[in-house]
Amino acid sequence: MSTHILLNGASGRMGRAISNISSDYDCQISWPIDLGDDPTDGINQCDVVIDFSLREATLPLAQKCGEAGKPMVIGTTGHDPSEKEEILKATSGIPVVWAGNFSTGVNLLFYLTEQAARVLDSSSDFDAEVIEMHHKLKKDAPSGTADRLLEILKDSRGLSDDQIAHGRSGLVGERPLDEIGSHALRGGDVVGDHTVYFAGIGERLELTHRATDRKIFAAGALRAAKWVMGRPSGLYSMQDVLGLVSSTR
Ligand code: NAD
């Protein structure tokens, strides 16, 4: 039976990409909504809600989904820690798949970065840096994917948020080992490139993923929507959907 979806941000680039392939996943975008639309009726009637809109739009939608007990897939990025906390609070009674990147390749990049970071830890003399590039219309930086890569590196090295250097300029001095560099490039129509560097003395490891088509995120989001229905309440990642790890909450 077809899955009926309320899609928030339906007129955007990702919204259109999801609508274009929804029938391939036996899904119908029965409530395509965007800025200014009231989601209440759609939330009550749909099977699952997908959000690919703007950072400010996620919390009010999450509150309505929490009240209605509707499963949710969140693809929107750029939320700060307090917004994330509020969204998690609002959705504590429903199942949610929340991912900064829904592509299979990027979730494998997360996994490989975890493995590499375990070997090339802070005692190894390898400097870790993350570079990402996206199209010039992207509104937040660093990307949700880069944020997740930085979090993996930060946790594996026992560092704090203020040890992440977002760009460097001026007389910054020698690079300390207990620092992770983060750099965001913007231009043209780049769908999404991410590289994690482990730079040692005499050698360098680079893990790169390049997205060339938004279809990969759209396919992952629809796959997550089918997967999340009927799950126990809690926060799930795309790695859960792909069977790479167990639940994070
Ligand atoms: P976009 O700017 O093309 O589309 C966003 C849409 O949201 C627009 O149609 C806009 O009108 C709508 N919108 C804005 N405010 C809204 C509101 N209050 N309520 C409802 N709709 C609202 O952006 P995009 O490229 O489609 O990306 C959307 C989001 O998804 C961004 O946060 C982006 O970073 C993220 N994204 C995530 C992934 C992933 O895999 N998780 C992949 C690509 C993009």
mmCIF file of all heavy atoms in Angstrom, residues 55-92:
data_model
loop_
_atom_site.group_PDB
_atom_site.id
_atom_site.type_symbol
_atom_site.label_atom_id
_atom_site.label_comp_id
_atom_site.label_asym_id
_atom_site.label_seq_id
_atom_site.Cartn_x
_atom_site.Cartn_y
_atom_site.Cartn_z
ATOM 1 N N ARG A 55 15.789 25.976 8.538
ATOM 2 C CA ARG A 55 16.085 25.694 9.953
ATOM 3 C C ARG A 55 14.964 26.141 10.911
ATOM 4 O O ARG A 55 14.537 25.384 11.771
ATOM 5 C CB ARG A 55 17.420 26.397 10.195
ATOM 6 C CG ARG A 55 17.717 26.798 11.505
ATOM 7 C CD ARG A 55 18.953 27.667 11.517
ATOM 8 N NE ARG A 55 19.015 28.217 12.842
ATOM 9 C CZ ARG A 55 19.607 29.330 13.164
ATOM 10 N NH1 ARG A 55 20.220 30.036 12.255
ATOM 11 N NH2 ARG A 55 19.600 29.741 14.394
ATOM 12 N N GLU A 56 14.433 27.355 10.732
ATOM 13 C CA GLU A 56 13.413 27.872 11.657
ATOM 14 C C GLU A 56 12.095 27.091 11.561
ATOM 15 O O GLU A 56 11.254 27.168 12.464
ATOM 16 C CB GLU A 56 13.072 29.351 11.381
ATOM 17 C CG GLU A 56 14.216 30.323 11.476
ATOM 18 C CD GLU A 56 14.931 30.507 10.160
ATOM 19 O OE1 GLU A 56 15.549 29.512 9.698
ATOM 20 O OE2 GLU A 56 14.903 31.600 9.597
ATOM 21 N N ALA A 57 11.894 26.396 10.451
ATOM 22 C CA ALA A 57 10.598 25.731 10.232
ATOM 23 C C ALA A 57 10.518 24.387 10.941
ATOM 24 O O ALA A 57 9.418 23.859 11.151
ATOM 25 C CB ALA A 57 10.378 25.530 8.733
ATOM 26 N N THR A 58 11.655 23.814 11.337
ATOM 27 C CA THR A 58 11.637 22.436 11.851
ATOM 28 C C THR A 58 10.935 22.331 13.203
ATOM 29 O O THR A 58 10.112 21.426 13.406
ATOM 30 C CB THR A 58 13.071 21.871 11.954
ATOM 31 O OG1 THR A 58 13.712 22.056 10.705
ATOM 32 C CG2 THR A 58 13.067 20.393 12.291
ATOM 33 N N LEU A 59 11.255 23.242 14.144
ATOM 34 C CA LEU A 59 10.696 23.110 15.506
ATOM 35 C C LEU A 59 9.164 23.163 15.530
ATOM 36 O O LEU A 59 8.528 22.261 16.097
ATOM 37 C CB LEU A 59 11.319 24.144 16.450
ATOM 38 C CG LEU A 59 10.786 24.100 17.884
ATOM 39 C CD1 LEU A 59 11.008 22.722 18.525
ATOM 40 C CD2 LEU A 59 11.424 25.184 18.749
ATOM 41 N N PRO A 60 8.509 24.196 14.913
ATOM 42 C CA PRO A 60 7.040 24.187 14.951
ATOM 43 C C PRO A 60 6.428 22.940 14.312
ATOM 44 O O PRO A 60 5.422 22.410 14.809
ATOM 45 C CB PRO A 60 6.642 25.455 14.169
ATOM 46 C CG PRO A 60 7.890 26.079 13.664
ATOM 47 C CD PRO A 60 9.059 25.411 14.311
ATOM 48 N N LEU A 61 7.061 22.450 13.254
ATOM 49 C CA LEU A 61 6.560 21.228 12.609
ATOM 50 C C LEU A 61 6.746 20.029 13.550
ATOM 51 O O LEU A 61 5.842 19.200 13.694
ATOM 52 C CB LEU A 61 7.318 21.002 11.295
ATOM 53 C CG LEU A 61 6.754 19.931 10.377
ATOM 54 C CD1 LEU A 61 5.466 20.417 9.713
ATOM 55 C CD2 LEU A 61 7.758 19.549 9.286
ATOM 56 N N ALA A 62 7.917 19.961 14.195
ATOM 57 C CA ALA A 62 8.216 18.854 15.111
ATOM 58 C C ALA A 62 7.228 18.856 16.279
ATOM 59 O O ALA A 62 6.784 17.791 16.725
ATOM 60 C CB ALA A 62 9.648 18.976 15.621
ATOM 61 N N GLN A 63 6.869 20.046 16.760
ATOM 62 C CA GLN A 63 5.902 20.120 17.872
ATOM 63 C C GLN A 63 4.562 19.542 17.450
ATOM 64 O O GLN A 63 3.937 18.775 18.172
ATOM 65 C CB GLN A 63 5.768 21.579 18.343
ATOM 66 C CG GLN A 63 6.970 22.003 19.176
ATOM 67 C CD GLN A 63 7.074 23.514 19.347
ATOM 68 O OE1 GLN A 63 6.548 24.281 18.538
ATOM 69 N NE2 GLN A 63 7.776 23.937 20.390
ATOM 70 N N LYS A 64 4.134 19.910 16.220
ATOM 71 C CA LYS A 64 2.843 19.397 15.724
ATOM 72 C C LYS A 64 2.911 17.878 15.520
ATOM 73 O O LYS A 64 1.952 17.168 15.816
ATOM 74 C CB LYS A 64 2.475 20.095 14.421
ATOM 75 C CG LYS A 64 1.942 21.523 14.637
ATOM 76 C CD LYS A 64 1.346 22.041 13.339
ATOM 77 C CE LYS A 64 0.566 23.299 13.366
ATOM 78 N NZ LYS A 64 0.473 24.196 14.394
ATOM 79 N N CYS A 65 4.043 17.378 15.003
ATOM 80 C CA CYS A 65 4.184 15.925 14.796
ATOM 81 C C CYS A 65 4.177 15.207 16.139
ATOM 82 O O CYS A 65 3.558 14.143 16.278
ATOM 83 C CB CYS A 65 5.494 15.599 14.060
ATOM 84 S SG CYS A 65 5.472 16.091 12.341
ATOM 85 N N GLY A 66 4.862 15.786 17.131
ATOM 86 C CA GLY A 66 4.899 15.196 18.479
ATOM 87 C C GLY A 66 3.499 15.085 19.055
ATOM 88 O O GLY A 66 3.112 14.047 19.593
ATOM 89 N N GLU A 67 2.709 16.188 18.910
ATOM 90 C CA GLU A 67 1.340 16.190 19.450
ATOM 91 C C GLU A 67 0.463 15.161 18.734
ATOM 92 O O GLU A 67 -0.374 14.505 19.349
ATOM 93 C CB GLU A 67 0.711 17.586 19.289
ATOM 94 C CG GLU A 67 1.241 18.600 20.296
ATOM 95 C CD GLU A 67 1.053 20.045 19.818
ATOM 96 O OE1 GLU A 67 0.229 20.275 18.912
ATOM 97 O OE2 GLU A 67 1.763 20.926 20.357
ATOM 98 N N ALA A 68 0.662 15.032 17.406
ATOM 99 C CA ALA A 68 -0.191 14.124 16.620
ATOM 100 C C ALA A 68 0.336 12.684 16.620
ATOM 101 O O ALA A 68 -0.326 11.790 16.088
ATOM 102 C CB ALA A 68 -0.289 14.641 15.178
ATOM 103 N N GLY A 69 1.538 12.475 17.168
ATOM 104 C CA GLY A 69 2.130 11.128 17.188
ATOM 105 C C GLY A 69 2.529 10.641 15.807
ATOM 106 O O GLY A 69 2.476 9.445 15.526
ATOM 107 N N LYS A 70 2.949 11.559 14.922
ATOM 108 C CA LYS A 70 3.330 11.158 13.558
ATOM 109 C C LYS A 70 4.833 10.993 13.420
ATOM 110 O O LYS A 70 5.599 11.867 13.875
ATOM 111 C CB LYS A 70 2.901 12.240 12.548
ATOM 112 C CG LYS A 70 1.458 12.189 12.154
ATOM 113 C CD LYS A 70 1.063 10.910 11.453
ATOM 114 C CE LYS A 70 -0.327 10.475 11.852
ATOM 115 N NZ LYS A 70 -1.373 10.575 10.967
ATOM 116 N N PRO A 71 5.298 9.893 12.820
ATOM 117 C CA PRO A 71 6.739 9.715 12.595
ATOM 118 C C PRO A 71 7.274 10.804 11.672
ATOM 119 O O PRO A 71 6.545 11.335 10.823
ATOM 120 C CB PRO A 71 6.851 8.344 11.934
ATOM 121 C CG PRO A 71 5.488 7.867 11.676
ATOM 122 C CD PRO A 71 4.502 8.778 12.313
ATOM 123 N N MET A 72 8.556 11.111 11.840
ATOM 124 C CA MET A 72 9.129 12.252 11.127
ATOM 125 C C MET A 72 10.498 11.899 10.556
ATOM 126 O O MET A 72 11.273 11.158 11.182
ATOM 127 C CB MET A 72 9.272 13.380 12.159
ATOM 128 C CG MET A 72 9.193 14.751 11.584
ATOM 129 S SD MET A 72 9.361 15.997 12.877
ATOM 130 C CE MET A 72 9.580 17.402 11.793
ATOM 131 N N VAL A 73 10.785 12.470 9.385
ATOM 132 C CA VAL A 73 12.127 12.392 8.783
ATOM 133 C C VAL A 73 12.609 13.828 8.636
ATOM 134 O O VAL A 73 11.942 14.642 7.987
ATOM 135 C CB VAL A 73 12.072 11.700 7.402
ATOM 136 C CG1 VAL A 73 13.411 11.793 6.680
ATOM 137 C CG2 VAL A 73 11.648 10.241 7.553
ATOM 138 N N ILE A 74 13.739 14.150 9.268
ATOM 139 C CA ILE A 74 14.247 15.533 9.214
ATOM 140 C C ILE A 74 15.534 15.582 8.387
ATOM 141 O O ILE A 74 16.533 14.936 8.720
ATOM 142 C CB ILE A 74 14.523 16.090 10.629
ATOM 143 C CG1 ILE A 74 13.261 16.022 11.498
ATOM 144 C CG2 ILE A 74 15.049 17.531 10.539
ATOM 145 C CD1 ILE A 74 13.481 16.477 12.945
ATOM 146 N N GLY A 75 15.478 16.369 7.292
ATOM 147 C CA GLY A 75 16.665 16.539 6.448
ATOM 148 C C GLY A 75 17.219 17.945 6.505
ATOM 149 O O GLY A 75 18.348 18.201 6.083
ATOM 150 N N THR A 76 16.422 18.873 7.039
ATOM 151 C CA THR A 76 16.837 20.275 7.128
ATOM 152 C C THR A 76 18.095 20.383 8.004
ATOM 153 O O THR A 76 18.221 19.661 8.993
ATOM 154 C CB THR A 76 15.691 21.115 7.742
ATOM 155 O OG1 THR A 76 14.524 20.867 6.972
ATOM 156 C CG2 THR A 76 16.010 22.591 7.739
ATOM 157 N N THR A 77 18.996 21.283 7.642
ATOM 158 C CA THR A 77 20.252 21.427 8.396
ATOM 159 C C THR A 77 20.382 22.851 8.958
ATOM 160 O O THR A 77 19.564 23.722 8.671
ATOM 161 C CB THR A 77 21.462 21.135 7.493
ATOM 162 O OG1 THR A 77 21.491 22.102 6.430
ATOM 163 C CG2 THR A 77 21.415 19.739 6.907
ATOM 164 N N GLY A 78 21.414 23.054 9.759
ATOM 165 C CA GLY A 78 21.762 24.396 10.235
ATOM 166 C C GLY A 78 21.261 24.728 11.624
ATOM 167 O O GLY A 78 21.454 25.854 12.092
ATOM 168 N N HIS A 79 20.620 23.777 12.337
ATOM 169 C CA HIS A 79 20.096 24.068 13.685
ATOM 170 C C HIS A 79 21.251 24.201 14.670
ATOM 171 O O HIS A 79 22.201 23.422 14.637
ATOM 172 C CB HIS A 79 19.168 22.939 14.153
ATOM 173 C CG HIS A 79 18.109 22.586 13.149
ATOM 174 N ND1 HIS A 79 18.233 21.542 12.274
ATOM 175 C CD2 HIS A 79 16.926 23.185 12.867
ATOM 176 C CE1 HIS A 79 17.157 21.481 11.498
ATOM 177 N NE2 HIS A 79 16.351 22.473 11.833
ATOM 178 N N ASP A 80 21.128 25.173 15.600
ATOM 179 C CA ASP A 80 22.168 25.295 16.633
ATOM 180 C C ASP A 80 21.836 24.337 17.777
ATOM 181 O O ASP A 80 20.735 23.749 17.814
ATOM 182 C CB ASP A 80 22.359 26.760 17.076
ATOM 183 C CG ASP A 80 21.141 27.317 17.782
ATOM 184 O OD1 ASP A 80 20.400 26.534 18.404
ATOM 185 O OD2 ASP A 80 20.922 28.543 17.708
ATOM 186 N N PRO A 81 22.778 24.132 18.726
ATOM 187 C CA PRO A 81 22.553 23.123 19.772
ATOM 188 C C PRO A 81 21.254 23.326 20.546
ATOM 189 O O PRO A 81 20.563 22.356 20.867
ATOM 190 C CB PRO A 81 23.779 23.290 20.686
ATOM 191 C CG PRO A 81 24.844 23.806 19.783
ATOM 192 C CD PRO A 81 24.141 24.685 18.787
ATOM 193 N N SER A 82 20.859 24.595 20.845
ATOM 194 C CA SER A 82 19.636 24.767 21.629
ATOM 195 C C SER A 82 18.404 24.438 20.783
ATOM 196 O O SER A 82 17.410 23.883 21.294
ATOM 197 C CB SER A 82 19.552 26.182 22.219
ATOM 198 O OG SER A 82 19.300 27.104 21.211
ATOM 199 N N GLU A 83 18.443 24.744 19.500
ATOM 200 C CA GLU A 83 17.320 24.359 18.615
ATOM 201 C C GLU A 83 17.219 22.832 18.531
ATOM 202 O O GLU A 83 16.123 22.265 18.561
ATOM 203 C CB GLU A 83 17.522 24.924 17.208
ATOM 204 C CG GLU A 83 17.306 26.420 17.135
ATOM 205 C CD GLU A 83 17.777 27.015 15.810
ATOM 206 O OE1 GLU A 83 18.747 26.514 15.213
ATOM 207 O OE2 GLU A 83 17.186 28.004 15.382
ATOM 208 N N LYS A 84 18.389 22.182 18.422
ATOM 209 C CA LYS A 84 18.383 20.707 18.353
ATOM 210 C C LYS A 84 17.739 20.129 19.604
ATOM 211 O O LYS A 84 16.934 19.199 19.531
ATOM 212 C CB LYS A 84 19.822 20.184 18.226
ATOM 213 C CG LYS A 84 20.369 20.300 16.825
ATOM 214 C CD LYS A 84 21.749 19.683 16.712
ATOM 215 C CE LYS A 84 22.313 19.959 15.332
ATOM 216 N NZ LYS A 84 23.732 19.762 15.189
ATOM 217 N N GLU A 85 18.104 20.706 20.753
ATOM 218 C CA GLU A 85 17.567 20.205 22.023
ATOM 219 C C GLU A 85 16.036 20.357 22.061
ATOM 220 O O GLU A 85 15.316 19.449 22.480
ATOM 221 C CB GLU A 85 18.212 20.990 23.157
ATOM 222 C CG GLU A 85 18.226 20.250 24.461
ATOM 223 C CD GLU A 85 18.883 21.090 25.546
ATOM 224 O OE1 GLU A 85 20.059 21.463 25.381
ATOM 225 O OE2 GLU A 85 18.191 21.393 26.526
ATOM 226 N N GLU A 86 15.553 21.528 21.628
ATOM 227 C CA GLU A 86 14.099 21.781 21.607
ATOM 228 C C GLU A 86 13.384 20.795 20.687
ATOM 229 O O GLU A 86 12.307 20.285 21.002
ATOM 230 C CB GLU A 86 13.820 23.208 21.110
ATOM 231 C CG GLU A 86 14.135 24.302 22.121
ATOM 232 C CD GLU A 86 13.235 24.209 23.342
ATOM 233 O OE1 GLU A 86 12.009 24.247 23.177
ATOM 234 O OE2 GLU A 86 13.773 24.049 24.451
ATOM 235 N N ILE A 87 14.004 20.536 19.525
ATOM 236 C CA ILE A 87 13.383 19.609 18.556
ATOM 237 C C ILE A 87 13.347 18.199 19.148
ATOM 238 O O ILE A 87 12.339 17.494 19.047
ATOM 239 C CB ILE A 87 14.145 19.646 17.207
ATOM 240 C CG1 ILE A 87 13.978 21.023 16.544
ATOM 241 C CG2 ILE A 87 13.669 18.540 16.268
ATOM 242 C CD1 ILE A 87 14.945 21.325 15.421
ATOM 243 N N LEU A 88 14.433 17.806 19.811
ATOM 244 C CA LEU A 88 14.472 16.469 20.421
ATOM 245 C C LEU A 88 13.423 16.347 21.520
ATOM 246 O O LEU A 88 12.782 15.302 21.668
ATOM 247 C CB LEU A 88 15.870 16.182 20.985
ATOM 248 C CG LEU A 88 16.954 15.934 19.936
ATOM 249 C CD1 LEU A 88 18.303 15.686 20.594
ATOM 250 C CD2 LEU A 88 16.590 14.741 19.050
ATOM 251 N N LYS A 89 13.243 17.441 22.276
ATOM 252 C CA LYS A 89 12.243 17.425 23.347
ATOM 253 C C LYS A 89 10.841 17.247 22.744
ATOM 254 O O LYS A 89 10.044 16.431 23.204
ATOM 255 C CB LYS A 89 12.322 18.748 24.124
ATOM 256 C CG LYS A 89 11.943 18.599 25.590
ATOM 257 C CD LYS A 89 11.832 19.915 26.304
ATOM 258 C CE LYS A 89 13.135 20.701 26.436
ATOM 259 N NZ LYS A 89 12.911 22.070 26.919
ATOM 260 N N ALA A 90 10.578 18.008 21.682
ATOM 261 C CA ALA A 90 9.241 17.967 21.053
ATOM 262 C C ALA A 90 8.945 16.610 20.428
ATOM 263 O O ALA A 90 7.781 16.231 20.288
ATOM 264 C CB ALA A 90 9.145 19.061 19.988
ATOM 265 N N THR A 91 10.003 15.873 20.036
ATOM 266 C CA THR A 91 9.787 14.609 19.307
ATOM 267 C C THR A 91 10.103 13.380 20.156
ATOM 268 O O THR A 91 10.228 12.286 19.613
ATOM 269 C CB THR A 91 10.653 14.575 18.021
ATOM 270 O OG1 THR A 91 12.026 14.741 18.399
ATOM 271 C CG2 THR A 91 10.255 15.644 17.037
ATOM 272 N N SER A 92 10.205 13.576 21.481
ATOM 273 C CA SER A 92 10.642 12.442 22.318
ATOM 274 C C SER A 92 9.636 11.281 22.299
ATOM 275 O O SER A 92 10.017 10.140 22.568
ATOM 276 C CB SER A 92 10.904 12.903 23.752
ATOM 277 O OG SER A 92 9.707 13.405 24.286
#
